[in-house]
């Protein structure tokens, strides 16, 4: 199937060709014809599936010069992104878009709204404008983008109220990554006989990768990283950090703790960077500490573990980062350290991954796992002639128990230490995650009430 099959206007087709859209994505294949036919749609699709074009293209194709389309998004960032995408598609149709969100000047936004066919807005600011009578729009098309995210952020009541201000004679589209009950109920009240579209997209993240996260406090990050490295004992791993400073800091810290770790970031001299990459590829360096940018284009196949020292802020970077392991049919593991401040990012990542909550192993866990590994290893070893000779020689000096103990010490010169317990128990972590969801809802309602009273 190609975009030509939808009978879109030539201005749109030409533009799609220019920006390199060759083939419709699955959500586009399903949604575009239904939306063109004028039906309401409930679509279950995640970010990255091409959902913006799935609703944007058919609306662009149909919208008349005197009509308006209203797109409601949970966040200002998404509003800007959607607005840019629509503007990009609509270049040859002379389309104007207005982006409306809190914290920016009312007057400028109001003027833009009047002159634009597409209004992309966050719920709070939009409702303020509608209630105060500062704008009067009668959109022919209304899109709720990432509806579940709006629910999580406590915007459900605002959304319901917004719909009191828009005429019934409209086409309504609801996009959501997940379909919790309140969203299904909302869909029943604001959509008319919608077509349901689900993209049974296989998990975005790879089946070969086991994904775990550990809830800790901010001051436990380094201890937790060391503990997990001691426990998992990875052959080859990448530790992702957000900043160059973190990269330097953590690479130094790990080296100091006896690991073969080196940092990689954009401020390093080219020669030095190449050295590090070569060392990592040839297994001379066990742990590469890097920023997303530095690791871009790094082509290494046998990475066994990826660590997220901080969670990346968006799910795409998460998918990208953990895709460094579990390649070429091999098993991989992705380990993320998460503090309560990162629960919102965690929430977004959970929607597209199979990340599982775990507890940081205790000191005791690490020690007993080491012993287990030695026992397993010993059972497979056939001593060589040379080894037998060495032990015979040593027996002139020591008894067998001392020899064995000294060898064991040589093998594990790196002492496992640290606090017995790091991070939250699963029960405590779950309680914190629940509470943060409730708090975020309550916080949103509270701040809006306050704003309401001021006016
Ligand atoms: P979205 O899910 O709307 O955030 O889109 C994800 C990314 O995929 C955006 O950068 C789009 O520009 C891009 N994209 C969407 N549809 C297509 C397509 N049919 N071909 C190529 N890229 C696309």
């Amino acid at each position: 199937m190609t975009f030509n099959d939808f009978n879109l206007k030539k201005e749109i087709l030409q533009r799609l060709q220019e920006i390199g859209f060759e083939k419709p994505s699955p959500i586009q294949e399903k949604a575009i014809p239904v939306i063109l036919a004028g039906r309401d749609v409930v679509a279950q699709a995640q970010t990255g599936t091409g959902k913006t074009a799935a609703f944007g293209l058919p609306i662009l194709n149909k919208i008349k010069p005197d009509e308006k389309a209203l797109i409601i998004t949970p966040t200002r960032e998404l509003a800007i992104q959607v607005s840019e995408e629509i503007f990009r598609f609509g270049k040859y149709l002379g389309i104007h878009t207005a982006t409306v969100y809190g914290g920016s000047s009312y007057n400028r936004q109001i003027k833009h709204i009047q002159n634009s066919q597409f209004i992309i807005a966050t719920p709070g600011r939009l409702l303020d404008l509608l209630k105060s009578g500062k704008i009067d729009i009668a959109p022919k098309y209304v899109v709720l983008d990432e509806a579940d995210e709006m629910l999580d952020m406590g915007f459900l009541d605002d959304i319901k109220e917004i719909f009191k201000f828009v005429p019934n004679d409209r086409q309504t589209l609801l996009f959501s990554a997940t379909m919790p009950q309140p969203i299904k109920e909302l869909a029943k009240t604001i959509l008319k006989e919608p077509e349901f579209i689900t993209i049974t997209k296989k998990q975005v993240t790879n089946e070969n990768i086991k994904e775990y996260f550990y809830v800790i406090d901010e001051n436990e990050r380094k201890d937790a990283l060391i503990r997990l490295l001691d426990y998992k004992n990875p052959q080859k791993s990448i530790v992702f950090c957000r900043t160059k400073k973190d990269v330097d800091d953590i690479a130094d810290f790990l080296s100091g703790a006896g690991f073969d770790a080196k940092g990689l970031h954009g401020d390093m001299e080219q020669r030095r960077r190449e050295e590090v990459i070569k060392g990592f590829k040839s297994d001379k360096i066990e742990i590469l500490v890097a920023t997303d940018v530095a690791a871009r284009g790094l082509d290494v196949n046998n990475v066994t573990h990826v660590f997220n020292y901080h969670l990346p802020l968006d799910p795409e970077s998460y998918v990208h980062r953990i895709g460094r392991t579990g390649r070429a049919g091999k098993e991989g593991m992705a380990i993320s350290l998460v503090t309560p401040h990162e629960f919102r990012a965690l929430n977004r990542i959970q929607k597209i991954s199979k990340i599982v909550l775990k507890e940081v192993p205790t000191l005791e866990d690490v020690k007993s796992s080491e012993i287990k590994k030695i026992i397993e290893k010993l059972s497979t070893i056939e001593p060589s002639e040379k080894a037998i000779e060495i032990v015979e020689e040593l027996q002139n000096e020591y008894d067998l128990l001392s020899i064995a103990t000294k060898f064991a010490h040589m093998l594990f010169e790196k002492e496992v230490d640290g606090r017995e317990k790091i991070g939250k128990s699963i029960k405590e972590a779950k309680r914190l995650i629940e509470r943060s969801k409730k708090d975020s809802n309550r916080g949103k309602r509270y701040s809006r009430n306050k704003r309401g009273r001021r006016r």
Side-chain angles (χ1 to χ4, degrees):
M1 195 170 203
T2 70
F3 283 104
N4 290 326
D5 298 324
F6 299 129
N7 276 327
L8 296 170
K9 289 182 175 161
K10 64 176 190 319
E11 290 89 344
I12 297 179
L13 289 175
Q14 187 191 343
R15 191 67 189 131
L16 289 177
Q17 206 177 11
E18 278 176 10
I19 62 177
F21 280 29
E22 284 166 10
K23 221 177 110 32
S25 69
I27 182 78
Q28 291 160 5
E29 254 183 45
K30 286 192 182 172
I32 292 175
V34 182
I35 300 172
L36 283 173
R39 294 278 307 269
D40 281 4
V41 167
V42 175
Q44 191 167 356
Q46 291 131 359
T47 320
T49 51
K51 63 187 168 65
T52 316
F55 63 74
L57 296 176
I59 298 178
L60 276 166
N61 201 70
K62 297 203 302 181
I63 199 162
K64 301 200 183 82
D66 58 342
E67 288 176 345
K68 282 193 193 294
L70 172 65
I71 300 164
I72 308 170
T73 69
T75 62
R76 157 196 156 141
E77 290 72 26
L78 186 63
I80 294 169
Q81 197 182 311
V82 169
S83 176
E84 284 173 352
E85 191 88 330
I86 302 275
F87 185 75
R88 198 158 76 111
F89 298 146
K91 187 174 173 192
Y92 297 132
L93 294 167
I95 287 291
H96 291 277
T97 63
T99 322
V100 176
Y101 47 78
S104 165
S105 136
Y106 273 95
N107 287 340
R108 215 181 44 236
Q109 289 185 349
I110 293 166
K111 207 165 133 232
H112 275 317
I113 291 172
Q114 271 141 9
N115 299 332
S116 303
Q117 277 171 286
F118 280 80
I119 300 146
I120 300 100
T122 54
R125 173 57 68 95
L126 178 65
L127 188 59
D128 281 352
L129 289 169
L130 288 168
K131 280 212 289 210
S132 63
K134 288 198 171 83
I135 57 165
D136 180 18
I137 48 168
K140 184 79 186 158
Y141 305 95
V142 180
V143 183
L144 285 185
D145 195 7
E146 301 198 353
D148 53 351
E149 199 59 18
M150 294 199 251
L151 170 72
D152 280 353
M153 293 176 69
F155 283 136
L156 192 61
D157 291 339
D158 282 3
I159 299 291
K160 288 181 182 159
E161 210 175 336
I162 287 168
F163 275 89
K164 291 185 188 150
F165 291 90
V166 297
N168 280 330
D169 176 25
R170 61 166 198 261
Q171 186 176 3
T172 315
L173 314 172
L174 184 151
F175 281 73
S176 196
T178 58
M179 285 293 162
Q181 198 53 34
I183 295 297
K184 287 187 190 144
E185 274 158 27
L186 176 73
K188 270 189 220 150
T189 64
I190 60 167
L191 290 112
K192 286 192 277 299
E193 296 167 28
E195 174 105 359
F196 287 86
I197 298 177
T198 309
I199 291 305
T200 43
K201 199 168 72 139
K202 45 178 182 344
Q203 210 95 47
V204 178
T205 50
N206 178 338
E207 286 298 317
N208 292 338
I209 306 172
K210 290 198 175 74
E211 300 166 57
Y212 300 133
F213 74 98
Y214 299 82
V215 177
I216 53 164
D217 283 327
E218 189 56 52
N219 61 7
E220 293 178 308
R221 268 192 217 277
K222 283 185 176 153
D223 288 342
L225 177 63
I226 292 264
R227 177 63 51 82
L228 287 158
L229 283 167
D230 278 336
Y231 187 70
K232 305 282 181 193
N233 204 7
Q235 270 173 21
K236 198 173 185 134
S237 57
I238 305 180
V239 177
F240 279 103
C241 304
R242 284 195 192 142
T243 65
K244 294 168 192 164
K245 193 175 159 298
D246 282 342
V247 167
D248 286 337
D249 186 28
I250 291 152
D252 285 350
F253 170 72
L254 289 178
S255 305
F259 292 91
D260 272 332
K262 287 276 178 319
L264 186 74
H265 62 63
D267 281 356
M268 284 161 54
E269 233 180 87
Q270 180 68 13
R271 230 193 42 207
R272 178 78 193 120
R273 289 179 44 165
E274 279 165 16
E275 262 170 36
V276 171
I277 292 174
K278 216 169 120 202
F280 188 56
K281 281 190 174 175
S282 61
D283 297 339
K284 283 201 191 78
I285 298 169
E286 282 175 13
I287 306 173
L288 185 74
V289 186
T291 56
D292 292 85
V293 180
R296 202 170 286 160
L298 180 75
D299 190 24
V300 184
N301 260 336
N302 47 351
V303 174
T304 55
H305 293 70
V306 163
F307 290 82
N308 289 311
Y309 187 72
H310 287 108
L311 262 194
L313 295 174
D314 60 297
E316 283 79 13
S317 323
Y318 177 81
V319 173
H320 210 243
R321 283 181 180 188
I322 74 165
R324 300 303 173 143
T325 181
R327 287 187 172 186
K330 294 205 186 87
E331 296 254 303
M333 191 176 283
I335 290 173
S336 302
L337 302 179
V338 181
T339 65
H341 279 300
E342 296 168 297
F343 283 165
R344 281 198 43 74
L346 173 70
N347 192 252
R348 287 194 290 269
I349 289 167
Q350 282 177 314
K351 285 180 186 154
I352 51 122
S353 71
K354 48 185 186 349
I355 192 168
V356 177
L357 173 63
K358 288 268 179 182
E359 255 169 64
V360 180
T362 61
L363 196 55
E364 199 48 47
D365 292 335
V366 178
K367 286 181 177 157
S368 48
S369 96
E370 281 190 336
I371 293 171
K372 218 171 105 212
K373 275 182 222 148
I374 299 175
I375 295 174
E376 275 168 21
K377 181 106 192 187
L378 284 183
S379 70
T380 65
I381 289 180
E382 288 283 340
S384 63
E385 280 295 320
K386 179 89 187 159
I388 294 167
E389 260 175 47
I390 293 174
V391 174
E392 277 173 359
E393 182 84 34
L394 287 172
Q395 267 187 295
N396 298 328
E397 294 277 335
Y398 304 100
D399 65 34
L400 278 176
L401 183 65
S402 310
I403 298 172
T405 323
K406 284 175 193 287
F407 273 127
H409 180 87
M410 268 167 70
L411 267 177
F412 291 92
E413 267 181 307
K414 205 169 76 219
E415 276 284 322
V416 181
D417 58 12
R419 279 188 291 149
E420 175 62 25
K421 183 92 191 84
I422 300 167
K424 311 286 176 213
S425 68
I426 295 210
K427 200 168 146 207
E428 174 70 358
K430 281 188 175 157
R431 198 181 62 79
L432 288 171
I433 292 170
E434 272 313 303
R435 203 180 67 189
S436 109
K437 279 189 183 159
K438 285 201 192 110
D439 280 356
S440 108
N441 289 352
R442 218 179 284 129
K444 287 272 154 33
R445 272 201 294 278
Y446 175 68
S447 65
R448 272 198 310 286
N449 286 344
K450 259 197 345 202
R451 218 173 45 226
R453 272 204 301 278
R454 244 198 345 258
R455 260 202 323 273

